Amino acid sequence: MTRPVWEIPVGRFSILERVELLFSQPISFVSRFQSEPQSGWFLNGSFIWETNLLPEKEEAWFIGDIPVVFFEEGLSQKDFADQKQLAKILLKKKKKQIQGIYLKYIFDYIKYQNQFLLKDLKNQKQSDYNFSQSIVIGDKNKIAIHPQAKVWPGSVFDTREGEIFIDHDAEIIPPSLIQGPCYIGKKVLIDAAKIRPNNSFFEGCKISGEVADSIFLEYVNKHHDGFIGHSLIGSFVNFGAMSTNSDLKNNYSSIKVFLNGEWIDSGEIKIGIFSGDHSKFGIGSLMNSGSIFGTGCNLFSNQGLFPKFVPSFSWGNGIDFKKYVWNDFLENTKKILKRRKKELSHEMILRLKQIYDSIEVKKNETGF
């Protein structure tokens, strides 16, 4: 991803948005792109904050061995990068254990999607929409439709498992089935789709086919048949027609994910794929459960499953990846964004180039 973990949503909101809602003020996080020293309360960006309480200044709150919040003056990104230096700072604090959810791995966002989506959509303002031309299975009062959203006659809503929220300028075209809990964000197009429970679609996504238990960041294009399930998809990702991932092994065993050079057991029997921003999947793409695809990939089918780990800026058919030529990637990405009336900021170009320069594309590292 081209964004820090606290800007990745789980449910309807990101960790950063949850903190800002709780404390009713803007929050800034120290990131690798920020070098100026900061003073104040430091909150772990992978911890889902659910209370507006803060520790005393001489305290540091932990989950196990992981610090989640403390107060300090004049800390920089280098202080956080140097584990020994950070440990010295925390040793001066009174350590207190607390309960909460820490998102250690990328698959944890999917693990907790249902829990937070149910919470985030609860008690939404009821819709004034006239459901006489739609089919509602369950309680229609669990459906909130923004006045500027467009729902075509013949759409089917199922609220038996949770609420449905359709944000402004979203459009629902039948035959579509939407099962809650589900958040359909601003300017999202649902076109002849089967939307299973536990999905979050953020601004500008185009969705057809079947999607289940997934988080789609902004401007994902899945405007074709195919299945994506139990997955977290970065912004401006494109799925060609019939692109499909597995999210369940034949023997129902827990799924392992290749992270930081090692296999991590998710402990879950249903895990799909994880794709970084600006990656493209050609028609007929097949992806195995627990697969990781980096940022800026351009992949097309080799009549089989892609490897379970594909580095950022890989180009090819899965047999012998090459590194995407930077200028070609930049030119193509600008053209794609222009179609959505968007453009790459100078900061984003620098961030993408930083990722690009750090990547060495080589043959499959996972053995799969």
Side-chain angles (χ1 to χ4, degrees):
M1 298 285 184
T2 58
R3 68 190 76 195
V5 293
W6 54 85
E7 291 183 4
I8 300 174
V10 55
R12 183 181 173 184
F13 302 110
S14 68
I15 290 174
L16 176 58
E17 289 171 327
R18 294 179 191 283
V19 174
E20 291 179 334
L21 287 169
L22 279 168
F23 291 92
S24 302
Q25 60 181 323
I27 305 292
S28 61
F29 280 79
V30 178
S31 76
R32 59 179 172 155
F33 306 108
Q34 180 182 28
S35 57
E36 298 81 6
Q38 304 286 318
S39 298
W41 299 100
F42 290 87
L43 281 63
N44 190 313
S46 294
F47 177 69
I48 298 185
W49 205 255
E50 296 187 82
T51 175
N52 59 4
L53 298 177
L54 288 169
E56 301 294 332
K57 290 186 177 181
E58 65 273 11
E59 288 183 327
W61 289 357
F62 283 72
I63 292 180
D65 294 328
I66 300 170
V68 293
V69 61
F70 61 92
F71 181 89
E72 193 58 54
E73 295 183 353
L75 287 191
S76 69
Q77 189 274 339
K78 291 182 179 179
D79 294 314
F80 286 92
D82 186 340
Q83 295 298 311
K84 291 183 179 179
Q85 174 63 16
L86 183 59
K88 287 180 181 179
I89 293 169
L90 292 172
L91 275 175
K92 300 175 184 178
K93 305 287 184 181
K94 182 180 177 182
K95 187 175 180 179
K96 179 181 178 181
Q97 290 289 334
I98 65 169
Q99 300 295 316
I101 295 174
Y102 177 78
L103 301 177
K104 184 176 182 179
Y105 298 112
I106 189 68
F107 50 75
D108 288 332
Y109 286 82
I110 300 304
K111 178 179 179 180
Y112 291 105
Q113 168 73 345
N114 171 264
Q115 177 177 329
F116 283 97
L117 197 54
L118 285 171
K119 177 182 177 181
D120 296 342
L121 299 183
K122 198 171 184 179
N123 300 321
Q124 295 285 351
K125 183 179 179 181
Q126 295 179 7
S127 177
D128 293 329
Y129 175 76
N130 183 355
F131 290 98
S132 62
Q133 295 184 334
S134 298
I135 298 173
V136 178
I137 305 169
D139 185 356
K140 70 178 182 180
N141 292 322
K142 291 184 176 181
I143 305 172
I145 301 176
H146 192 280
Q148 294 179 357
K150 183 177 181 181
V151 178
W152 290 31
S155 301
V156 180
F157 302 96
D158 182 352
T159 64
R160 289 174 296 176
E161 293 186 31
E163 286 82 1
I164 297 168
F165 184 90
I166 302 173
D167 220 330
H168 72 72
D169 294 321
E171 185 173 7
I172 314 298
I173 299 177
S176 287
L177 165 67
I178 300 172
Q179 296 177 285
C182 181
Y183 172 66
I184 297 173
K186 303 171 184 176
K187 301 179 182 179
V188 169
L189 173 65
I190 305 294
D191 186 1
K194 290 183 287 187
I195 307 302
R196 303 304 184 187
N198 305 317
N199 287 298
S200 300
F201 304 113
F202 291 87
E203 182 173 350
C205 291
K206 294 184 178 182
I207 311 295
S208 294
E210 184 177 8
V211 185
D213 298 83
S214 293
I215 302 168
F216 282 26
L217 304 188
E218 302 85 358
Y219 297 98
V220 174
N221 184 33
K222 190 201 169 300
H223 205 177
H224 300 283
D225 285 338
F227 171 78
I228 300 295
H230 289 85
S231 299
L232 198 164
I233 309 301
S235 60
F236 289 99
V237 169
N238 184 81
F239 292 101
M242 302 309 298
S243 293
T244 294
N245 77 265
S246 165
D247 61 0
L248 179 68
K249 296 174 71 172
N250 287 345
N251 61 3
Y252 285 29
S253 60
S254 64
I255 294 169
K256 294 181 179 180
V257 181
F258 193 71
L259 295 170
N260 299 321
E262 62 177 323
W263 289 101
I264 305 295
D265 191 339
S266 70
E268 302 291 317
I269 66 169
K270 282 201 168 187
I271 292 291
I273 66 169
F274 305 92
S275 174
D277 301 339
H278 302 290
S279 286
K280 315 298 176 189
F281 298 88
I283 61 171
S285 291
L286 298 176
M287 297 153 279
N288 214 335
S289 52
S291 294
I292 299 282
F293 301 94
T295 294
C297 296
N298 187 2
L299 310 176
F300 37 91
S301 175
N302 63 347
Q303 305 303 314
L305 293 165
F306 287 124
K308 289 195 70 171
F309 176 77
V310 179
S312 294
F313 297 100
S314 293
W315 186 97
N317 62 6
I319 299 174
D320 185 16
F321 288 123
K322 297 178 175 60
K323 191 170 185 179
Y324 208 152
V325 176
W326 169 253
N327 287 336
D328 290 346
F329 164 78
L330 194 59
E331 180 182 354
N332 291 335
T333 301
K334 286 180 177 179
K335 285 191 294 186
I336 292 165
L337 266 67
K338 188 176 181 180
R339 292 185 63 189
R340 298 295 193 100
K341 299 180 181 180
K342 300 289 180 181
E343 59 182 34
L344 286 175
S345 66
H346 178 67
E347 180 189 26
M348 181 55 69
I349 292 173
L350 292 177
R351 193 173 298 183
L352 287 165
K353 189 61 165 63
Q354 184 181 45
I355 298 171
Y356 184 90
D357 290 340
S358 71
I359 295 297
E360 179 184 357
V361 174
K362 48 189 176 182
K363 290 188 176 181
N364 181 14
E365 300 177 26
T366 67
F368 286 86

